[in-house]
Amino acid sequence: MVWLLVSISKDRPGLLNDITSIIRSQNLNIRNIVGNNYAILIEIDGKVNNELVNNVGNVDGVNTVSVIDLPFTILGLVRENFMKALVFYVMEREPELIERLGYEYGKELMRCVLNSRNDVRVALYTSLEILTALGVIALASVQFMSSKIVVSISRAFDEDVGMPLTRGIIKGLFEVSGSTRYCARIERDGFYRDIVITC
């Protein structure tokens, strides 16, 4: 089994139908779909070829299409219920635990993606797109500069409680990417939250 990671540039009625029609036209079985109006993960049972990737990439509203040839299982959570659990049971007792869990999750995700992507920047971007498809963040952009990296997001699922899990995940991604000494801080830039990583 393989996953297609579809980054969405413009959500519109019928977009998902257009994407799945292309997959069905090649007699491939869709085993799982998860995502939102920013990115979609589609689990496919069968062989994915370049023609399929190109055809899905040419659908109006699709930005990019990546193939992730790794076995992983999606775990879904209802955001409102999960946030209540964070606030009432964890944040009051041990708030640093949430960031640490995010950190370990980010490290494992980056390790997993690095198994199929040799380029650290590509692996980082792919990891952020997976997090977007899963609804953890809504990635707006990633800027690689000489002295810093800026990850801009329009929302994070835990923003109501200060983004401890998101902050931990980003730190974990960078830990595995080889950034031995770095500092991560969150800045507000109008509509976006910028996670600024400086070395």
Side-chain angles (χ1 to χ4, degrees):
M1 278 162 272
V2 68
W3 291 87
L4 282 185
L5 175 58
V6 182
S7 173
I8 306 301
S9 61
K10 178 183 67 177
D11 192 19
R12 62 173 176 80
L15 176 61
L16 185 58
N17 182 60
D18 291 349
I19 293 169
T20 57
S21 294
I22 291 169
I23 296 168
R24 284 193 322 266
S25 73
Q26 292 200 7
N27 286 329
L28 294 171
N29 183 32
I30 298 172
R31 295 178 53 91
N32 199 350
I33 297 177
V34 65
N36 46 52
N37 58 342
Y38 299 103
I40 304 168
L41 279 166
I42 305 171
E43 185 181 16
I44 297 175
D45 189 9
K47 180 106 169 107
V48 172
N49 56 35
N50 288 337
E51 178 186 357
L52 174 71
V53 172
N54 291 335
N55 288 344
V56 172
N58 288 330
V59 171
D60 179 38
V62 170
N63 185 24
T64 60
V65 180
S66 301
V67 177
I68 302 173
D69 193 10
L70 295 169
F72 57 83
T73 304
I74 298 298
L75 171 66
L77 298 169
V78 177
R79 179 184 180 269
E80 290 79 8
N81 300 112
F82 187 72
M83 295 312 298
K84 284 179 184 174
L86 281 177
V87 171
F88 294 123
Y89 298 106
V90 181
M91 292 298 287
E92 291 179 0
R93 292 171 176 81
E94 207 172 340
E96 65 279 353
L97 175 64
I98 297 299
E99 187 168 330
R100 183 64 187 186
L101 287 172
Y103 172 77
E104 295 298 334
Y105 176 79
K107 283 175 31 179
E108 290 305 315
L109 176 62
M110 187 65 166
R111 282 188 189 115
C112 181
V113 173
L114 272 172
N115 285 333
S116 68
R117 307 282 194 265
N118 292 331
D119 184 295
V120 172
R121 287 184 181 197
V122 173
L124 177 63
Y125 187 78
T126 300
S127 297
L128 292 166
E129 284 290 343
I130 289 171
L131 292 168
T132 298
L134 296 175
V136 176
I137 62 169
L139 180 66
S141 67
V142 181
Q143 300 172 46
F144 295 94
M145 300 172 221
S146 60
S147 62
K148 65 182 177 180
I149 300 170
V150 179
V151 177
S152 296
I153 59 175
S154 57
R155 68 175 173 76
F157 87 103
D158 59 345
E159 60 190 54
D160 294 340
V161 292
M163 296 173 47
L165 193 69
T166 299
R167 187 171 46 252
I169 290 170
I170 299 297
K171 287 179 179 179
L173 294 176
F174 278 91
E175 173 78 21
V176 174
S177 71
S179 303
T180 54
R181 296 185 68 186
Y182 66 91
C183 175
R185 68 181 188 281
I186 299 173
E187 298 176 353
R188 187 130 187 139
D189 182 19
F191 180 69
Y192 299 106
R193 289 145 202 88
D194 290 341
I195 302 168
V196 181
I197 313 296
T198 53
C199 299

